Amino acid sequence: MPEAEPIGEPAACGDRRTPPLAMPRTSVKERDQRSVIAVERACDLLVAICSSREGPMGVKDLSETLKLSASSVHRILAALVKRGLVEQDPDTRKYAMGRVLLDMSLDRLHHLDLPVAALPHMRRLRDATRETVALSVVDGWTQTFVAQVESPQEIRQKIEIGRRLPLHSGGSGKATLAFLPEAEREAYLAQPKLAPAANGPVNLKRLRLELSQIRRCGYSRSVGERVAGAAAVAAPIFNHLGQVAGCLSVSGPFWRFNEQKFPEYGQHAMQSAIEVSKDLGAPVALVERKPPAVAQRNPPGKAVRKPPAMVERKRDGAGGRR
């Protein structure tokens, strides 16, 4: 009886048995690329779900939006649901943001520091206007300046950090007051005595008209209202709840703020405030506002002839007063 052929021995000459097919080898680089693509698709899917204005999305909607096959979308969704990043409605079979992702988002928003978030945008705004840029925050019915980036010019505006000011005068205050909820705004205006501005007593009828104009154009402007000889524009910053959290202002000597500069600086301030609001998680409807092409004019006020009281002049090679 012939001996059995050992396993693994090469086939004898003339043996017609088909050798096993060799599996193609995948390089480490190719595997890494596939992993990156999978992560990118998962991120795109999360962004689509979280930014949907139509509410929860179905597999078909996501497939059409992302130009992916329904099977690929379904596989990615299954993994995201397993991790709690996405949730599926058992009735509609559609997907929405999951509890884990929501908790992470809220935790991030609660730990945001407004001055830290605003500082890079303040520097860019200062560079664009070459004027002093300040950040104020809302504190009840007052505003407090908490940060500034000074103008590089020899004559510049100086903001007093930590000072609390009313909302009915000055660019930052009026921009805040204009975007408060109507009931809160009217309660503020109904106070028995509103402190007069530097350029005269408060005219409620004219102030209400100006606040309406600010809401339409998106930013405020002022000349000599808080500091004689100073001018400013300011735009509101909104938080993740859609509430006014603060304001960005651009200020300097009034003679550098002509009718061309007011709308130009106003648009810059508004765009920077929108970017800060985005970083704070403000609702889409607020951060998608477009800067206006032309600024609204202030109601006529008292002419300002005196030099600014808080304008600072740099020393040659130093930063003190002259």
Side-chain angles (χ1 to χ4, degrees), residues 24-42 76:
R25 293 186 177 181
T26 304
S27 67
V28 174
K29 183 178 181 180
E30 288 174 333
R31 288 197 298 270
D32 288 345
Q33 287 176 341
R34 291 177 183 176
S35 298
V36 170
I37 291 173
V39 172
E40 289 176 342
R41 287 178 175 177
I76 297 172

Side-chain angles (χ1 to χ4, degrees), residues 236-258:
I237 297 169
F238 298 92
N239 62 19
H240 63 288
L241 299 176
Q243 302 166 339
V244 181
C247 271
L248 282 183
S249 65
V250 178
S251 60
F254 76 97
W255 61 81
R256 291 207 295 256
F257 283 66
N258 55 36

